[in-house]
Amino acid sequence: MECRLASAAPVFAFDETLTIVAWNESAGALTGIDAAEAVGRPCWEVVGGQDDGGGMLCHQHCSRARLAREGWPLAAQEMHIRCAEGRRRVVLDTIAALDDGRALFLHVIRDAPQSPPTEKPPPDLGRLPHLTPRQLDVLRLLAEGIPARAIAVRLGLSEPTVRNHIRATLLELGAHSQLEAVFRARCRGLL
């Protein structure tokens, strides 16, 4: 799929395989990465998004892309992305364009405040998270790399119920992705 983006805002597009299909000039100016270097590569590899603590946000099993593909509206996310000069703190807005089974996803990039917001305190790493037995079952299966649909079949639950358990687990662990939730759970001895 060939795609061209006309926007003054830095923006790039990727398809369902998370392959970048368009990278506009403004994205190149902001990151120092030109379209020839970005297009055709996995978005997570090019962007390399990390949270304020250096935790991985962008990876090949991106939960934001999955949620966008399923039609969930996504709030803007602050992250540090890879740039020619190192890392840059930005806000990424995600837009999903779904048409007759085809999907195209856009990330609009803008500069973020240089210091993280202080409205929400960081998760208390000393406090042991309270997860229900079912959330622990789901988390253990996620740690084995089993997708939500297969977890639902294995546990005899509906897929939306499993996704609700995953969302509640992410919230309780203060994680942004399933991969980060598994990492945090292992660090705390829950797995």
Side-chain angles (χ1 to χ4, degrees):
M1 167 191 327
E2 186 174 323
C3 183
R4 193 168 154 262
L5 298 172
S7 172
V11 63
F12 68 94
F14 57 98
D15 63 16
E16 288 189 0
T17 67
L18 304 184
T19 301
I20 296 175
V21 296
W23 185 272
N24 76 356
E25 288 181 23
S26 297
L30 180 91
T31 63
I33 300 169
D34 65 17
E37 186 181 342
V39 174
R41 291 180 54 203
C43 60
W44 52 270
E45 188 179 279
V46 174
V47 174
Q50 296 179 345
D51 63 20
D52 288 323
M56 178 176 35
L57 294 176
C58 294
H59 49 84
Q60 69 185 75
H61 301 292
C62 177
S63 55
R64 287 184 66 80
R66 179 184 48 77
L67 290 170
R69 194 171 29 250
E70 293 174 2
W72 291 88
L74 297 171
Q77 183 171 27
E78 292 185 12
M79 66 174 60
H80 299 265
I81 64 169
R82 206 175 271 131
C83 291
E85 72 272 0
R87 311 242 10 118
R88 185 174 189 151
R89 194 159 191 278
V90 299
V91 176
L92 216 65
D93 285 296
T94 304
I95 301 167
L98 309 169
D99 180 37
D100 293 332
R102 292 182 335 216
L104 186 66
F105 306 96
L106 304 172
H107 276 327
V108 180
I109 310 167
R110 55 191 159 90
D111 278 317
Q114 290 306 306
S115 60
T118 55
E119 304 154 5
K120 181 179 166 189
D124 179 4
L125 296 178
R127 179 184 71 86
L128 195 60
H130 175 70
L131 297 175
T132 67
R134 185 56 87 187
Q135 289 168 344
L136 284 169
D137 291 341
V138 170
L139 186 60
R140 286 184 193 105
L141 294 170
L142 285 175
E144 293 177 24
I146 299 172
R149 182 172 289 152
I151 291 172
V153 171
R154 187 177 282 191
L155 297 179
L157 302 171
S158 70
E159 189 175 348
T161 298
V162 169
R163 295 208 183 281
N164 285 337
H165 285 308
I166 291 170
R167 275 190 280 281
T169 301
L170 292 177
L171 184 63
E172 184 63 26
L173 292 171
H176 295 93
S177 69
Q178 294 173 19
L179 185 64
E180 185 181 1
V182 168
F183 173 78
R184 287 178 180 238
R186 283 192 174 129
C187 288
R188 293 176 178 169
L190 296 172
L191 293 175

